[in-house]
Amino acid sequence: QVQLQQWGAGLLKPSETLSLTCAVYGGSLTGYYWTWIRQPPGKGLEWIGEINYSGKTKYNPSLKSRVTISVDTSQNQFSLSLNSVTAADTAVYYCARISRSVPYLWGQGTLVTVSS
Amino acid sequence: DIQMTQSPSSLSASVGDRVTITCRTSQGITDELAWYQQKPGTAPKRLIYAASTLQTGVPPRFSGSGSGTEFTLTISSLQPEDFATYYCLQHNDYPWTFGQGTKVEIK
């Protein structure tokens, strides 16, 4: 049974870089697209971007200048980097596998808080 | 960006009620829409994809319909475990966009 497990720093200061990793267990990265989605506390969902196993990416233009999604097939992981964070980036960040063209299998979520 | 208008933002209903949630898009997206259910503290769960295809394992009281710019999620007979927040997602064009959410509460 495929599972996604994600981790990364939960507390950042303004201007720092958010870094999260999502590991795929029980299956392979190959052949799928993978995505990051975030949800500010008490608010709705925002698509951040996606990547496939070969490293092809798409980003939300609202974040494009600050975001990088990368893949490491040798480790069966993919990662999210968001630089120059502000309080507006405080959110629960989810990784997910795309199947049938939309997110299906999700990680557990990581709360990232940006505060001085 | 494709704008999503999801309504209502919240509703109160009783067990056994029929519930309908609507999602309208600012441009046609054929059937490239999914519905998700989210309970507090958990990741969203996919209910419907391709506008009307029921995800395996999801009870048949959930159904989706629509194409183009107007879509509906219907719960035919609300059950206690259905009290949650529901979101639509369009994936016709980048960036993917979600509806604002509909919180279904107990009356």
Side-chain angles (χ1 to χ4, degrees):
Chain A
Q1 181 178 352
V2 180
Q3 293 185 340
L4 304 185
Q5 186 169 349
Q6 54 181 107
W7 66 86
L11 181 61
L12 297 173
K13 290 181 167 51
S15 81
E16 292 184 335
T17 297
L18 179 157
S19 292
L20 297 174
T21 298
C22 185
V24 181
Y25 296 105
S28 174
L29 276 174
T30 303
Y32 290 95
Y33 279 72
W34 306 86
T35 188
W36 288 95
I37 289 162
R38 69 179 184 178
Q39 184 172 37
K43 296 189 178 180
L45 299 159
E46 180 181 29
W47 178 78
I48 297 171
E50 69 176 26
I51 191 166
N52 72 356
Y53 61 94
S54 65
K56 178 181 176 183
T57 56
K58 286 281 190 183
Y59 298 128
N60 192 323
S62 68
L63 300 169
K64 188 172 184 179
S65 62
R66 299 193 293 131
V67 67
T68 302
I69 299 175
S70 58
V71 65
D72 184 343
T73 53
S74 67
Q75 297 291 319
N76 227 29
Q77 298 172 352
F78 62 106
S79 298
L80 170 69
S81 176
L82 182 68
N83 61 36
S84 305
V85 297
T86 70
D89 296 311
T90 294
V92 175
Y93 287 75
Y94 293 102
C95 61
R97 189 179 83 175
I98 294 170
S99 68
R100 305 288 188 180
S101 303
V102 287
Y104 172 56
L105 188 66
W106 295 66
Q108 79 276 21
T110 301
L111 175 61
V112 177
T113 302
V114 181
S115 175
S116 56
Chain B
D1 298 7
I2 295 177
Q3 306 303 312
M4 310 290 284
T5 304
Q6 186 175 339
S7 61
S9 57
S10 65
L11 64 89
S12 295
S14 300
V15 172
D17 284 354
R18 182 182 182 89
V19 169
T20 299
I21 299 168
T22 298
C23 196
R24 292 184 175 87
T25 60
S26 59
Q27 64 191 66
I29 62 168
T30 63
D31 66 347
E32 294 180 306
L33 185 119
W35 290 98
Y36 292 84
Q37 176 194 66
Q38 188 179 33
K39 296 182 179 179
T42 68
K45 172 187 174 183
R46 191 170 75 188
L47 302 175
I48 302 282
Y49 61 92
S52 60
T53 302
L54 189 67
Q55 176 65 44
T56 301
V58 173
R61 63 180 179 271
F62 291 93
S63 64
S65 64
S67 67
T69 62
E70 187 158 338
F71 301 86
T72 300
L73 173 70
T74 299
I75 309 172
S76 60
S77 178
L78 198 66
Q79 297 303 299
E81 59 269 31
D82 301 337
F83 292 95
T85 301
Y86 295 84
Y87 294 94
C88 56
L89 164 67
Q90 72 78 21
H91 59 100
N92 174 261
D93 195 15
Y94 292 105
W96 292 359
T97 44
F98 289 89
Q100 301 88 337
T102 296
K103 187 173 184 179
V104 177
E105 299 177 302
I106 301 172
K107 181 183 281 185

